Each structure stands twice: as C-alpha cells, then as structure tokens.
Coordinates of all heavy atoms in Angstrom, one line a residue:
Q91 N 12.1 4.6 -1.0 CA 11.1 4.1 -0.1 C 9.7 4.2 -0.8 O 9.5 5.2 -1.4 CB 11.0 4.9 1.2 CG 12.3 4.9 1.9 CD 12.2 5.9 3.1 OE1 11.6 7.0 3.0 NE2 12.9 5.6 4.2
P92 N 8.9 3.1 -0.7 CA 7.7 3.2 -1.5 C 6.7 4.2 -1.0 O 6.5 4.4 0.2 CB 7.1 1.8 -1.3 CG 7.8 1.2 -0.1 CD 9.1 1.9 0.0
G93 N 6.1 5.0 -1.9 CA 5.1 6.0 -1.5 C 5.2 7.2 -2.4 O 5.6 7.1 -3.6
T94 N 4.8 8.3 -1.9 CA 4.9 9.6 -2.5 C 6.0 10.5 -1.9 O 6.0 10.7 -0.7 CB 3.5 10.4 -2.4 OG1 2.5 9.5 -2.9 CG2 3.5 11.7 -3.1
E95 N 6.9 11.0 -2.8 CA 8.0 11.8 -2.3 C 7.5 13.3 -2.3 O 7.2 13.8 -3.4 CB 9.2 11.6 -3.2 CG 10.4 12.4 -2.8 CD 11.6 12.1 -3.7 OE1 11.8 10.9 -4.0 OE2 12.3 13.1 -4.0
C96 N 7.6 13.9 -1.2 CA 7.2 15.3 -1.0 C 8.4 16.1 -0.7 O 9.2 15.7 0.1 CB 6.2 15.5 0.1 SG 4.7 14.4 -0.1
T97 N 8.6 17.3 -1.4 CA 9.7 18.1 -1.2 C 9.3 19.5 -0.9 O 8.3 20.0 -1.6 CB 10.6 18.1 -2.4 OG1 11.0 16.7 -2.7 CG2 11.9 18.9 -2.2
G98 N 9.9 20.3 0.0 CA 9.6 21.6 0.2 C 10.3 22.2 1.4 O 11.1 21.6 2.0
G99 N 10.1 23.5 1.6 CA 10.7 24.2 2.7 C 12.0 24.8 2.4 O 12.6 24.6 1.4
E100 N 12.5 25.6 3.4 CA 13.8 26.2 3.3 C 14.5 26.0 4.6 O 14.0 26.5 5.6 CB 13.7 27.7 3.0 CG 13.5 28.1 1.6 CD 14.6 27.6 0.6 OE1 15.8 27.6 1.0 OE2 14.3 27.2 -0.5
P101 N 15.5 25.3 4.8 CA 16.2 24.5 3.7 C 15.3 23.4 3.2 O 14.4 22.9 3.9 CB 17.4 24.0 4.4 CG 17.1 23.9 5.8 CD 16.1 25.0 6.1
Q102 N 15.5 23.0 2.0 CA 14.7 22.0 1.3 C 14.8 20.7 2.0 O 15.9 20.2 2.3 CB 15.1 21.9 -0.1 CG 14.1 21.1 -0.9 CD 14.3 21.1 -2.4 OE1 15.2 21.9 -2.9 NE2 13.5 20.4 -3.2
I103 N 13.6 20.1 2.3 CA 13.6 18.7 2.9 C 12.7 17.9 2.1 O 11.8 18.3 1.4 CB 13.1 18.8 4.4 CG1 11.7 19.4 4.5 CG2 14.0 19.5 5.3 CD1 11.0 19.3 5.8
T104 N 13.0 16.6 2.1 CA 12.3 15.6 1.3 C 11.8 14.5 2.3 O 12.6 14.0 3.1 CB 13.2 15.0 0.2 OG1 13.6 16.0 -0.6 CG2 12.4 14.0 -0.6
E105 N 10.6 14.1 2.1 CA 10.0 13.0 3.0 C 9.1 12.2 2.1 O 8.5 12.6 1.1 CB 9.2 13.7 4.1 CG 8.8 12.7 5.2 CD 10.0 12.3 6.0 OE1 10.9 13.1 6.3 OE2 10.1 11.1 6.4
V106 N 9.1 10.9 2.4 CA 8.2 9.9 1.6 C 7.1 9.5 2.5 O 7.3 9.1 3.6 CB 9.1 8.7 1.1 CG1 8.2 7.7 0.4 CG2 10.2 9.2 0.2
Y107 N 5.9 9.6 2.0 CA 4.7 9.2 2.7 C 3.9 8.1 1.8 O 3.8 8.3 0.6 CB 3.7 10.3 2.9 CG 4.3 11.4 3.8 CD1 4.9 12.5 3.2 CD2 4.2 11.3 5.1 CE1 5.5 13.5 4.0 CE2 4.8 12.3 5.9 CZ 5.4 13.4 5.4 OH 5.9 14.3 6.2
L108 N 3.4 7.1 2.5 CA 2.6 6.1 1.8 C 1.1 6.5 1.9 O 0.6 6.8 3.0 CB 2.8 4.7 2.4 CG 2.1 3.6 1.7 CD1 2.5 3.4 0.3 CD2 2.3 2.3 2.5
N109 N 0.4 6.6 0.7 CA -1.0 6.9 0.7 C -1.7 5.8 1.4 O -1.7 4.6 1.0 CB -1.5 7.0 -0.7 CG -2.9 7.6 -0.8 OD1 -3.7 7.4 0.1 ND2 -3.2 8.2 -1.9
T110 N -2.4 6.1 2.5 CA -3.0 5.1 3.4 C -4.2 4.3 2.6 O -4.5 3.2 3.0 CB -3.6 5.7 4.7 OG1 -4.4 6.8 4.4 CG2 -2.4 6.1 5.5
T111 N -4.7 5.0 1.6 CA -5.8 4.3 0.9 C -5.2 3.1 0.1 O -5.9 2.1 0.0 CB -6.4 5.3 -0.1 OG1 -6.8 6.5 0.5 CG2 -7.6 4.7 -0.8
F112 N -4.0 3.2 -0.2 CA -3.3 2.1 -1.0 C -3.3 0.8 -0.1 O -3.4 -0.3 -0.7 CB -1.9 2.4 -1.4 CG -1.1 1.2 -1.8 CD1 -1.4 0.6 -3.0 CD2 -0.1 0.7 -1.1 CE1 -0.7 -0.5 -3.5 CE2 0.6 -0.4 -1.5 CZ 0.3 -1.0 -2.7
V113 N -3.2 0.9 1.2 CA -3.2 -0.3 2.0 C -4.4 -1.2 1.9 O -4.3 -2.4 2.0 CB -2.9 0.1 3.5 CG1 -2.9 -1.1 4.4 CG2 -1.7 0.9 3.6
V114 N -5.5 -0.6 1.5 CA -6.8 -1.3 1.4 C -6.7 -2.3 0.2 O -7.2 -3.5 0.3 CB -8.0 -0.4 1.2 CG1 -9.2 -1.1 0.9 CG2 -8.1 0.5 2.4
V115 N -6.0 -1.9 -0.9 CA -6.0 -2.8 -2.1 C -5.3 -4.1 -1.8 O -5.8 -5.2 -2.2 CB -5.4 -2.0 -3.3 CG1 -5.3 -2.9 -4.5 CG2 -6.3 -0.8 -3.6
P116 N -4.0 -4.1 -1.3 CA -3.4 -5.4 -1.0 C -4.2 -6.2 0.0 O -4.2 -7.5 -0.2 CB -2.1 -5.0 -0.4 CG -1.8 -3.7 -0.9 CD -3.1 -3.0 -1.0
A117 N -4.9 -5.6 0.9 CA -5.7 -6.4 1.8 C -6.9 -7.1 1.1 O -7.2 -8.3 1.4 CB -6.3 -5.5 2.9
I118 N -7.5 -6.4 0.1 CA -8.5 -7.0 -0.7 C -7.9 -8.1 -1.5 O -8.5 -9.2 -1.7 CB -9.2 -5.9 -1.5 CG1 -10.0 -5.0 -0.7 CG2 -10.1 -6.6 -2.6 CD1 -10.6 -3.8 -1.4
V119 N -6.8 -7.9 -2.1 CA -6.1 -8.9 -2.9 C -5.8 -10.2 -2.1 O -6.1 -11.3 -2.6 CB -4.8 -8.4 -3.6 CG1 -4.0 -9.4 -4.2 CG2 -5.1 -7.3 -4.6
V120 N -5.3 -10.0 -0.9 CA -5.0 -11.2 -0.1 C -6.3 -11.9 0.3 O -6.4 -13.1 0.3 CB -4.3 -10.7 1.2 CG1 -4.2 -11.9 2.3 CG2 -2.9 -10.3 0.9
F121 N -7.4 -11.1 0.6 CA -8.7 -11.7 0.9 C -9.2 -12.5 -0.3 O -9.7 -13.7 -0.1 CB -9.7 -10.7 1.3 CG -11.1 -11.2 1.5 CD1 -11.4 -11.9 2.6 CD2 -12.0 -11.0 0.5 CE1 -12.7 -12.4 2.8 CE2 -13.3 -11.5 0.6 CZ -13.6 -12.2 1.8
L122 N -9.1 -12.0 -1.5 CA -9.6 -12.7 -2.7 C -8.8 -14.0 -2.9 O -9.3 -15.0 -3.3 CB -9.5 -11.8 -3.9 CG -10.6 -10.7 -3.9 CD1 -10.3 -9.8 -5.1 CD2 -12.0 -11.2 -3.9
A123 N -7.5 -13.9 -2.7 CA -6.6 -15.1 -2.9 C -7.0 -16.2 -1.9 O -7.1 -17.4 -2.3 CB -5.2 -14.7 -2.8
L124 N -7.2 -15.8 -0.7 CA -7.5 -16.8 0.4 C -8.9 -17.4 0.1 O -9.2 -18.5 0.3 CB -7.4 -16.1 1.7 CG -6.0 -15.8 2.3 CD1 -6.1 -15.1 3.6 CD2 -5.2 -17.1 2.4
A125 N -9.9 -16.5 -0.3 CA -11.2 -17.0 -0.6 C -11.2 -18.0 -1.8 O -11.9 -19.0 -1.7 CB -12.1 -15.8 -0.9
T126 N -10.4 -17.7 -2.8 CA -10.3 -18.6 -3.9 C -9.7 -19.9 -3.5 O -10.2 -21.0 -3.9 CB -9.4 -18.0 -5.0 OG1 -10.0 -16.7 -5.4 CG2 -9.3 -18.9 -6.2
W127 N -8.7 -19.9 -2.7 CA -8.1 -21.1 -2.2 C -9.1 -21.9 -1.3 O -9.2 -23.1 -1.5 CB -6.8 -20.7 -1.3 CG -6.2 -21.9 -0.6 CD1 -5.5 -22.9 -1.2 CD2 -6.4 -22.2 0.7 NE1 -5.1 -23.8 -0.2 CE2 -5.7 -23.4 1.0 CE3 -7.1 -21.6 1.8 CZ2 -5.6 -24.0 2.2 CZ3 -7.0 -22.2 3.1 CH2 -6.3 -23.4 3.3
A128 N -9.8 -21.2 -0.4 CA -10.8 -21.9 0.4 C -11.9 -22.5 -0.4 O -12.3 -23.7 -0.1 CB -11.4 -20.9 1.4
I129 N -12.4 -21.9 -1.4 CA -13.4 -22.4 -2.3 C -12.9 -23.7 -3.0 O -13.6 -24.7 -3.1 CB -13.9 -21.4 -3.3 CG1 -14.7 -20.3 -2.5 CG2 -14.8 -22.0 -4.4 CD1 -15.1 -19.1 -3.4
R130 N -11.7 -23.6 -3.5 CA -11.1 -24.8 -4.2 C -10.9 -25.9 -3.3 O -11.2 -27.1 -3.6 CB -9.8 -24.4 -4.9 CG -10.0 -23.5 -6.1 CD -8.6 -23.2 -6.7 NE -8.8 -22.4 -7.9 CZ -7.9 -21.8 -8.6 NH1 -6.6 -22.0 -8.2 NH2 -8.1 -21.1 -9.6
L131 N -10.5 -25.6 -2.1 CA -10.3 -26.7 -1.1 C -11.6 -27.3 -0.7 O -11.7 -28.5 -0.5 CB -9.6 -26.1 0.2 CG -9.2 -27.1 1.3 CD1 -8.2 -28.1 0.7 CD2 -8.7 -26.4 2.5

C-alpha cells in the first residue's frame, strides 16, 4: 500500500500511513496540467 510503513509494539504490528502533505503535490500537478491545456485552447 502506498505510503510509509510503520512497525512497532508487542505483539509487533505494521500499519501503512500516507503522508498527507504528499496529497498537495498531485493536486498542484493536475492544476498545472489543466492550466496548460486551457492556455493552449
């Protein structure tokens, strides 16, 4: 699963978390792609 794998505890457990800051970057990428398309159009 995409994200950061965290392990710890007794018994040992593993969980994957997505860094919420990362979500901003694809949003910016989509915005730039749409803006480029709109300017060309």
Side-chain angles (χ1 to χ4, degrees):
Q91 304 170 325
T94 301
E95 182 178 316
C96 303
T97 305
E100 282 297 326
Q102 188 169 359
I103 57 172
T104 300
E105 194 69 42
V106 176
Y107 297 96
L108 183 62
N109 189 335
T110 54
T111 309
F112 167 70
V113 177
V114 172
V115 175
I118 291 171
V119 168
V120 168
F121 173 77
L122 290 175
L124 289 173
T126 302
W127 173 78
I129 290 169
R130 287 182 181 172
L131 185 64

